[in-house]
Amino acid sequence: MNPLIPTVHSADPSAHVWPGDDRLWIYASHDQPGTNTHDTMVSYHVFSSTDLVNWIDYGVVLHLKDVAWAVSHMWAIDAVLWQGTYYLVYCAIERATGMFRTGLAISALPQGPFQDIGFIQGVEWGQDPALFVDDDGAPYLFWGAGGHCYGCRLADDLRSAVPGTTVDLTEQLTWVFEGPWVHRYNGTYYLSYPGLYENRWPEHMYYATADHPLGPYTFRGEYIPVFPGQAGTNHGSIIQYKGQWYAFHHSMWISGISECRSLMADYLDYNPDGTLRPIIPSKEGVAAPGATPGPSHVTLLLDAENGAAACGQLHGTRVATDRPGYTGHGYVTGFDKSNYGVSVMAQCGQDRRYRLFVRYVAPEGEQHNKVLVNHTLIDQPGVAEERYDKRITFPQCSDWQEVDCGIVQLVRGDNTIRLYNGSGGIEVDCFRLEPVE
Ligand code: FUB
């Protein structure tokens, strides 16, 4: 159902299906709840699903604090799997020049977290990047802002524009304002983009087609009109998943605030002549073929080992990878001194109750650890009343299992979850939060 991701405010969805992976991935920018400006955007989220109804939110995957060259405005993004590495392709204002740059950040896993490796050389005012890899393996970058749109061929390391290949596509893309996205259908290149009809807000979604990624493009019209509850902006991606085409975009359906957006998805179809059938954004939204449609269920999965890269922290503990079966990049071990622990950050769009699970092993016997949610010790159901000291019991186990820590209240914005004690004897893989409907 729409909004697709009701639990956290996110926008500018770039949807991808990676080879050999049956999940659909969305890379999205993040709006702080209650904000009335895009200028405060500082981080990105990643979501995955196999049915487009049940989703995993991996939390913050890149934050401004970890991008040395950037000062603000972490706006629209894209992602690419390139030579075995996942790249987040994003934009931000460069500290030295005040100019939008197109940053690259890398991860060995599609869900991040991503580590910045600098910005693409030869691209100026590189807002709203989209990276398209053609069938022959050639990478192209598109970007656009303030009523202009450009494209270029990228070098094989993605780090720079190939000199002499940049084309100004603005005149070919009627009403273009920003946010290009390129996909291919039946051998034709489709460049879709938010545009301002007669230079007036809000944005419509338009598209143009070409026989080559860098054009020339022919304007084809609108595929998402302005709709009730739309934000001032719209921005989207088009992709085929399990045989069905989808358009991902955003609205202000939950907040009613133009800068506090939520992801949307609708079915997209082509006419026999290859033109797109315009979409009316629907409450029903989408489900993958064979899946039961219904309200989206978004699990927050926060890997303990991500630490500061995901706005969490390792308090005296360390990351290990020796024990197989962990999620993400590893797990956290070394809880062997008083108050050693680990914390993760959970972002929410609204105050919401979740059931919290911790995935762990405790081979040496039952362990007792404290769990804080936003500076408050939580009680395990049925255990807390028996004792004064609030602790969660982690039964002995030598293979990964989850302990149910009960229902916790998260508040809109940033929430810190911390597990600590210091008795040793435990290794922590991840925190799973299931919204209580
Ligand atoms: O999300 C911030 C900005 O709003 C994006 O970069 C634009 O495309 C618009 O969606």
Side-chain angles (χ1 to χ4, degrees), residues 103 118 130 211 231 261 280 302 305-306 309 321-322 383 391 409:
D211 294 330
R261 299 160 294 179
I280 304 296
L302 304 170
E305 74 279 4
N306 289 345
T321 55
D322 313 306
V383 177
R391 283 167 195 265
Q409 176 71 49

Side-chain angles (χ1 to χ4, degrees), residues 12-59:
D12 309 319
S14 281
H16 286 277
V17 181
W18 305 123
D21 185 338
D22 71 341
R23 296 167 285 186
L24 182 136
W25 293 87
I26 297 179
Y27 298 81
S29 44
H30 175 254
D31 292 335
Q32 284 295 347
T35 187
N36 65 354
T37 173
H38 299 312
D39 298 353
T40 53
M41 294 170 70
V42 291
S43 64
Y44 299 109
H45 275 239
V46 175
F47 308 93
S48 78
S49 178
T50 53
D51 60 10
L52 311 188
V53 176
N54 295 284
W55 291 87
I56 296 175
D57 172 1
Y58 297 89

Side-chain angles (χ1 to χ4, degrees), residues 23 25 27 46 58-61 86 107 109-114 301 303 306 327-329:
R23 296 167 285 186
W25 293 87
Y27 298 81
V46 175
Y58 297 89
V60 173
V61 299
Y86 296 89
S107 172
L109 296 176
Q111 69 265 35
F114 292 87
L301 185 70
D303 262 307
N306 289 345
T327 64
H329 299 267

Side-chain angles (χ1 to χ4, degrees), residues 95-176:
R95 186 181 299 276
T97 61
M99 186 190 291
F100 258 110
R101 293 289 195 182
T102 303
L104 293 175
I106 55 171
S107 172
L109 296 176
Q111 69 265 35
F114 292 87
Q115 187 189 0
D116 176 65
I117 56 167
F119 57 79
I120 297 177
Q121 302 298 314
V123 175
E124 299 195 334
W125 296 105
Q127 188 197 312
D128 289 8
L131 203 155
F132 173 77
V133 180
D134 206 354
D135 283 357
D136 63 2
Y140 294 88
L141 183 72
F142 298 85
W143 65 99
H148 296 272
C149 185
Y150 302 90
C152 73
R153 170 80 198 261
L154 283 183
D156 285 345
D157 63 0
L158 308 184
R159 303 287 191 105
S160 61
V162 173
T165 64
T166 299
V167 291
D168 184 346
L169 300 169
T170 307
E171 293 303 318
Q172 301 161 29
L173 308 175
T174 305
W175 310 123
V176 67

Side-chain angles (χ1 to χ4, degrees), residues 293-437:
S296 293
H297 179 91
V298 186
T299 298
L300 252 172
L301 185 70
L302 304 170
D303 262 307
E305 74 279 4
N306 289 345
C311 295
Q313 207 178 331
L314 269 60
H315 309 271
T317 48
R318 63 183 185 277
V319 176
T321 55
D322 313 306
R323 185 185 297 281
Y326 52 81
T327 64
H329 299 267
Y331 56 91
V332 174
T333 190
F335 293 78
D336 40 35
K337 288 205 174 59
S338 176
N339 294 317
Y340 274 21
V342 61
S343 56
V344 293
M345 193 179 79
Q347 288 189 315
C348 290
Q350 309 84 26
D351 293 357
R352 194 182 286 271
R353 292 189 319 146
Y354 283 84
R355 186 171 283 279
L356 172 64
F357 300 86
V358 178
R359 191 165 188 259
Y360 74 101
V361 290
E364 294 154 24
E366 181 175 286
Q367 302 295 318
H368 302 275
N369 289 273
K370 296 180 181 178
V371 178
L372 283 172
V373 174
N374 292 333
H375 313 292
T376 301
L377 278 173
I378 62 168
D379 297 327
Q380 200 165 23
V383 177
E385 59 269 23
E386 295 166 15
R387 49 163 205 256
Y388 174 72
D389 194 10
K390 298 181 178 65
R391 283 167 195 265
I392 304 288
T393 300
F394 290 77
Q396 190 269 342
C397 61
S398 46
D399 203 356
W400 298 109
Q401 69 174 34
E402 285 187 324
V403 65
D404 179 352
C405 301
I407 291 174
V408 299
Q409 176 71 49
L410 300 192
V411 297
R412 74 173 198 164
D414 300 348
N415 297 267
T416 301
I417 299 169
R418 178 173 175 179
L419 183 153
Y420 65 106
N421 186 18
S423 66
I426 190 169
E427 292 171 343
V428 176
D429 182 29
C430 61
F431 297 79
R432 177 167 68 93
L433 292 127
E434 295 294 345
V436 177
E437 312 297 350

